[in-house]
Amino acid sequence: MNLDDKQLKKLYTKAIKIGCGSFLAIIIAHTIGLQYETSAGIITLLSIMTTRWETFRISLHRIYSFAITVFLCWFTFRYLGSDWTHYGLVIFLLVMVLEMAGWAATLSVNAVIAGHFIASEDFSFAFILNEFLLVLIGITVAVILNFFNNHKKSRKELAFNMRYVEARLQLILEEMACYLSKEELKRDVWDDIRNLEAKIKHYVHEACQYRDNSFNSNANYYIKYFEMRLEQISVLHNLHYEMQKMRNMPEQAIVVAKFIRYIKDAISEMHSIEEQISRLQGIVESRTNDHLPKDMAEFEGMAILYHIMMDLEDYLIIKRRFINSLDEEYRQKDTFILE
């Protein structure tokens, strides 16, 4: 498995957090005299997730499921016995309950806790408190460690990725304009579209991680932005497919090529979209006055060109829908993301 520098850095950071966190949890549990102190380190290991929100969420679930585990162990071992057969019954019941509650990720820790109860056969308040403190120490250390993230750097990376996507979109649009203008193509447009689509999907994932790590109310902006570009690249994929079907390039294609270059220069997410849509509608309306096609080949070319203009309209409407979904503060300040 090949990892780039960024992925390796994330892996190192996670490994350091887990190693240091497990050690710290065990030391704390040992210092206050808890039994089974190494379990605190295991709980920390299992609780450190990718994002702050995931760690916080699963930590709450561990507390809720701990109460269920204590009850199931007490009921089973008290009335049925405390041998390992009944331990299997407890695990069976835990799996059923936790799966239905959506807390399956807490099963491993609860299985360890159940093992402690069957080994000790102790349901005194002191022992239950001992087990609860193991869980509390483990999840507290995990939550604290996951607050150590460089969110400012992540935000700058997202902003850089936004500008990268725009530059690649401009490149793809220019190649399409060249095709309609019968100019020489210097790149493989299909490869450019596929590669950019894969990168945008990755950027959506990174934007989601930033949102879950930062608890920033503005973080959804990046997710919306990359999802908007993902929709647009899908439209461009269809648009290029339509172009490839043109066996006879209509004379009007040069007008559409000029319009593509026009929207290419207005690629920024906050650039006025209404003017672009209005200009496209004007081009479509003007085409109604064109002469009738002379033969079937010219008719097919003009029909495909009309579909291309409809695809361009979809491309612009996607952007308008994105802008309309934003709060007023985003529309008034299009550079805040780079601060």
Side-chain angles (χ1 to χ4, degrees):
M1 181 171 144
N2 296 323
L3 300 176
D4 57 29
D5 292 341
K6 186 178 179 180
Q7 290 172 320
L8 279 173
K9 187 175 180 180
K10 286 185 176 180
L11 179 60
Y12 291 149
T13 302
K14 184 176 181 180
I16 290 171
K17 284 182 180 179
I18 291 176
C20 294
S22 299
F23 168 76
L24 182 60
I26 292 172
I27 290 298
I28 294 173
H30 178 76
T31 301
I32 63 178
L34 297 181
Q35 300 180 55
Y36 305 109
E37 66 266 27
T38 55
S39 296
I42 296 172
I43 294 170
T44 296
L45 181 154
L46 295 171
S47 299
I48 293 181
M49 309 299 286
T50 305
T51 66
R52 285 183 183 179
W53 171 244
E54 280 296 304
T55 300
F56 184 70
R57 183 178 63 85
I58 200 171
S59 296
L60 289 178
H61 291 171
R62 292 207 191 286
I63 294 175
Y64 302 151
S65 61
F66 173 80
I68 296 173
T69 302
V70 172
F71 172 77
L72 289 176
C73 288
W74 172 81
F75 182 85
T76 303
F77 298 160
R78 180 184 178 93
Y79 293 102
L80 300 178
S82 57
D83 56 41
W84 291 108
T85 302
H86 296 116
Y87 174 79
L89 176 61
V90 170
I91 297 303
F92 168 78
L93 293 173
L94 274 175
V95 171
M96 296 295 293
V97 173
L98 297 180
E99 284 284 354
M100 287 189 290
W103 303 341
T106 68
L107 178 62
S108 53
V109 169
N110 289 305
V112 172
I113 298 299
H116 293 171
F117 280 117
I118 195 172
S120 66
E121 299 185 3
D122 186 355
F123 283 93
S124 65
F125 175 78
F127 190 75
I128 293 175
L129 180 61
N130 180 92
E131 297 302 294
F132 177 74
L133 288 176
L134 289 176
V135 174
L136 186 62
I137 291 169
I139 63 178
T140 300
V141 172
V143 169
I144 291 173
L145 286 178
N146 250 24
F147 270 84
F148 290 95
N149 288 299
N150 190 350
H151 304 304
K152 188 174 182 180
K153 182 178 179 181
S154 297
R155 192 181 185 207
K156 287 183 177 180
E157 287 178 352
L158 287 172
F160 175 83
N161 293 338
M162 290 170 66
R163 301 291 86 88
Y164 171 83
V165 168
E166 290 171 3
R168 301 304 293 184
L169 278 174
Q170 286 180 314
L171 178 65
I172 292 169
L173 288 169
E174 176 60 29
E175 289 296 311
M176 290 181 172
C178 287
Y179 185 85
L180 290 176
S181 302
K182 297 182 181 181
E183 299 175 21
E184 181 183 359
L185 295 178
K186 300 178 181 179
R187 302 177 60 87
D188 188 325
V189 183
W190 288 120
D191 283 345
D192 287 338
I193 291 174
R194 284 192 292 265
N195 291 338
L196 183 56
E197 184 178 31
K199 282 187 175 293
I200 295 175
K201 288 179 179 178
H202 176 67
Y203 295 154
V204 170
H205 175 71
E206 289 193 336
C208 290
Q209 283 197 324
Y210 171 74
R211 176 196 61 192
D212 293 342
N213 269 320
S214 65
F215 295 119
N216 190 329
S217 60
N218 297 334
N220 281 326
Y221 173 85
Y222 301 101
I223 299 174
K224 289 181 179 181
Y225 173 85
F226 289 118
E227 288 178 341
M228 177 266 293
R229 293 305 188 191
L230 196 59
E231 286 187 76
Q232 285 190 318
I233 200 68
S234 178
V235 170
L236 292 183
H237 186 280
N238 294 334
L239 192 152
H240 185 57
Y241 177 72
E242 293 287 345
M243 288 183 180
Q244 294 284 43
K245 293 192 298 184
M246 297 178 75
R247 292 177 295 176
N248 182 39
M249 192 69 69
E251 295 178 2
Q252 301 89 339
I254 192 66
V255 177
V256 178
K258 289 180 179 179
F259 178 77
I260 291 176
R261 287 191 168 104
Y262 161 66
I263 63 173
K264 180 200 75 172
D265 294 333
I267 199 73
S268 170
E269 74 274 15
M270 291 302 178
H271 198 284
S272 175
I273 199 69
E274 298 305 327
E275 181 183 346
Q276 299 172 50
I277 293 177
S278 177
R279 183 174 297 193
L280 177 62
Q281 290 172 344
I283 294 173
V284 173
E285 291 173 2
S286 67
R287 298 283 70 81
T288 59
N289 299 321
D290 290 340
H291 64 79
L292 293 175
K294 299 175 182 178
D295 51 34
M296 182 58 66
E298 187 175 354
F299 173 78
E300 289 178 353
M302 293 179 68
I304 293 174
L305 190 64
Y306 178 79
H307 279 290
I308 289 172
M309 288 189 286
M310 293 302 97
D311 284 338
L312 288 171
E313 185 177 35
D314 289 340
Y315 174 90
L316 296 174
I317 288 173
I318 289 168
K319 184 176 176 182
R320 178 168 67 181
R321 189 165 61 239
F322 161 74
I323 294 174
N324 291 341
S325 71
L326 301 178
D327 294 335
E328 191 62 30
E329 64 174 309
Y330 294 102
R331 302 179 198 176
Q332 291 179 351
K333 190 178 182 184
D334 62 350
T335 60
F336 82 98
I337 55 170
L338 298 175
E339 292 178 348

